[in-house]
Amino acid sequence: MSPTHVTVGLLALAGSAIALNNGVGKLPKLGYNTFNGFGCSYDADIILAQGQAMKDLGLVELGYNSLLFDDCFTEKERDKRGRLVPHAEKFPDGIKSVTKKLKKLGISSNAYSDAGYQTCAGYPGSYGHEAQDLATWAEWGFDYVKYDNCYIPFDNVTQENVYGRYKRMTDAIAERAKKTRSKPFEYSLCEWGWQQPWVWGKKLGQSWRVNGDIKPWWSSLTAIINTASFISHATDFYGRNDLDILEVGNYGQGEPHGNLTFEESKSHFTAWALLKSPLFIGTDLTNASQATIDILSNKDLLKINQDPNVGESISPFRWHSDPDAPFVFDNDHPAQYWTGNSSYGVVFMLLNTLDETAELSFNLTESWAIRAGRLYDVYDMWSHTNNGTAYRDISITLPPHGVAALLLNDAGPEPEGIEPYCAGYWQCSWPNGTYYSN
């Protein structure tokens, strides 16, 4: 007799996810990540050199105040009691000595681990050791963990899907905070977006990856931006889409180190900042150009990313030049027109996804945050200049893969008697119910 197959619908995750507000991670994290610049080839000296560069270049003062030891910082075997062991060759004086020195620079330290048996590079994962590893990381001076998704146990071992495996660490973090009366670890889920972490991630942690690992070329950036354009609503205080490590500065060097143009690096940083992703630098700061530092130090964009009153990301209001063609999924040519609110004005991002110079034009009232019938002062967040007053429409010419980041503030009512009477005249009505004819 063949087995009977029964489908059962579970509603455990039904409804909108509520952010995990446990006292940490209200705003996106800013810092440095060792992975893109060094892979596993880093040690105490390299970490401290990057930390010192962050301090000397003024990045710590701007809010880049954490450093993530991303994989490969332990030995490949636990000790006899099951505890993680610092990598002896990389950290001859132990990890705690490094985190103490970083703390003196104003930089906190972040751990990396995995919801499986091993990390992606083959070091010990935390499955079955969640509470034990948290205690070790706290002893070593960490307060944040990036949690990857490699080498997961058999289904009949976990009897859980990805949500349950990641929840084990959420529960361990909460239990440790309660037991020790300490601040909870901030928790970053690196699930790569395969199982829609933007739906359930905010129940468990403060950020979640939306795509695979970033690469230092334009097509990788556009694929991530394309994914983010459909899930921007998931970002808010205490929970946000993580677009992965910043590749800013990896321009003009060729693969595998990077081949982004300068304009692409600007677009990269603008999108990551305004979509309120965590901002983790992946470039060797001891050898960074002034242009790279200028991009990473854009105070106007960082101010939006770290807005204390508005947690939402910007979102697309039009995908391509055709306003009648919304919601186009295109990894090569993602949404070009974005807007959102902020404590400092209405934000617009215009992204030229074409391989040639293009003029991008829009009506102000295409943004939900704009008031109709008003004038707006325009501030350019890259030139840091006031660029006059906008009346209904804005047009900007951008280089290939270039970006504009604008901040608009109300400058009073439009002059009387200007026709057409409505920016969107197609539903503009007289009091008697007849439509105004343009």
Side-chain angles (χ1 to χ4, degrees), residues 176-289:
R176 181 186 179 278
K178 180 180 178 181
K179 183 177 180 180
T180 61
R181 296 184 179 181
S182 61
K183 192 175 183 180
F185 267 62
E186 192 167 338
Y187 187 25
S188 175
L189 286 58
C190 187
E191 194 273 330
W192 320 319
W194 291 359
Q195 289 181 282
Q196 297 181 301
W198 49 88
V199 176
W200 49 267
K202 62 178 62 180
K203 290 177 176 285
L204 303 183
Q206 286 72 44
S207 62
W208 46 85
R209 281 276 298 278
V210 304
N211 213 320
D213 288 351
I214 192 171
K215 303 296 181 184
W217 43 82
W218 180 246
S219 60
S220 177
L221 304 185
T222 58
I224 294 171
I225 294 170
N226 181 54
T227 297
S229 71
F230 295 94
I231 57 173
S232 58
H233 62 278
T235 286
D236 206 338
F237 289 136
Y238 301 105
R240 57 198 54 88
N241 295 318
D242 180 356
L243 310 190
D244 203 12
I245 304 167
L246 289 167
E247 287 285 2
V248 171
N250 289 329
Y251 44 81
Q253 299 172 30
E255 295 178 18
H257 303 292
N259 62 354
L260 297 179
T261 68
F262 176 69
E263 292 296 336
E264 289 167 350
S265 278
K266 284 177 59 180
S267 296
H268 175 19
F269 185 75
T270 303
W272 266 235
L274 297 184
L275 270 75
K276 302 202 174 179
S277 172
L279 301 177
F280 278 92
I281 300 167
T283 305
D284 181 358
L285 292 173
T286 65
N287 193 33
S289 68

Side-chain angles (χ1 to χ4, degrees), residues 59-88:
L59 295 172
V60 174
E61 184 180 358
L62 290 174
Y64 293 96
N65 57 10
S66 67
L67 199 151
L68 200 157
F69 297 44
D70 198 325
D71 214 341
C72 317
F73 63 94
T74 68
E75 295 289 353
K76 288 200 170 182
E77 299 294 335
R78 294 174 179 269
D79 68 13
K80 293 180 180 179
R81 296 171 61 184
R83 296 175 303 185
L84 295 169
V85 180
H87 195 289

Side-chain angles (χ1 to χ4, degrees), residues 32-39 282-284:
Y32 187 88
N33 186 306
T34 59
F35 184 76
N36 283 27
F38 301 99
T283 305
D284 181 358

Side-chain angles (χ1 to χ4, degrees), residues 106-167:
I107 301 171
S108 66
S109 299
N110 308 334
Y112 165 94
S113 192
D114 193 283
Y117 290 130
Q118 295 183 10
T119 69
C120 295
Y123 291 77
S126 291
Y127 182 80
H129 294 269
E130 291 85 0
Q132 185 179 38
D133 288 354
L134 280 169
T136 298
W137 299 329
E139 180 186 345
W140 289 350
F142 295 115
D143 61 8
Y144 171 111
V145 59
K146 172 184 174 181
Y147 214 49
D148 223 328
N149 194 38
C150 290
Y151 297 103
I152 59 177
F154 294 155
D155 290 350
N156 66 351
V157 173
T158 68
Q159 298 185 41
E160 288 281 7
N161 202 340
V162 62
Y163 178 84
R165 291 194 301 274
Y166 274 93
K167 188 175 183 295

